[in-house]
Amino acid sequence: MKKIVLLLSIICLAATASWSAEDEHQFIPIRVLDNTIETGRTHRSSTDIPIVAYYDDFISSICLQFLQNIGDVDVIITNAFTGDYIEYEVGSSLGSVMLPINGDIGIYNITILLSDGSGFEGEFEIGLN
């Protein structure tokens, strides 16, 4: 009986650790940014997004994974509550990068601009749940 209780305790502990590890990563949906003169900056849908992004709460960083080489990109991360922003220039040929942010509570916008003027953007929250 003691072995069964011990085994169940270990399973519950492992499940809790697994759930908390998943909570540390917040997937960031990325959309195509239409940046034409006629329409201004509006969103349009596309199924060919070469970037996967998530926020890692444990290290207070945005993690970007480039699914293809799209050249050097400018990444702007803005806290919509405070207006504070951070800019990075990264090469997509690296495959993936980690971009540290301060991790203050708020809604954040991430904009990824390519050298040809096109881009992508997403939004995520920190500490509002």
Side-chain angles (χ1 to χ4, degrees):
M1 181 69 170
K2 289 182 182 180
K3 289 181 181 182
I4 293 174
V5 171
L6 180 62
L7 180 61
L8 289 175
S9 298
I10 292 172
I11 290 171
C12 288
L13 181 62
T16 303
S18 173
W19 290 330
S20 68
E22 290 175 11
D23 290 343
E24 293 173 5
H25 294 79
Q26 179 186 162
F27 176 74
I28 304 170
I30 301 294
R31 303 174 295 275
V32 174
L33 182 62
D34 181 9
N35 194 19
T36 63
I37 294 172
E38 298 82 22
T39 62
R41 281 200 160 160
T42 58
H43 303 101
R44 61 185 172 93
S45 63
S46 175
T47 57
D48 189 25
I49 309 285
I51 303 166
V52 175
Y54 66 89
Y55 172 71
D56 188 319
D57 188 45
F58 184 70
I59 58 174
S60 296
S61 296
I62 300 294
C63 300
L64 297 178
Q65 179 182 9
F66 297 98
L67 304 177
Q68 64 188 45
N69 187 350
I70 54 176
D72 291 337
V73 298
D74 292 320
V75 180
I76 304 150
I77 303 166
T78 306
N79 183 326
F81 285 4
T82 65
D84 293 338
Y85 66 94
I86 303 170
E87 293 183 59
Y88 293 98
E89 184 177 330
V90 298
S92 64
S93 62
L94 296 173
S96 62
V97 294
M98 294 167 74
L99 308 173
I101 63 172
N102 60 15
D104 289 342
I105 292 174
I107 296 174
Y108 286 79
N109 297 307
I110 180 170
T111 305
I112 303 160
L113 300 173
L114 285 63
S115 60
D116 67 1
S118 63
F120 304 92
E121 76 174 359
E123 186 176 279
F124 63 100
E125 299 177 357
I126 298 178
L128 298 178
N129 297 333

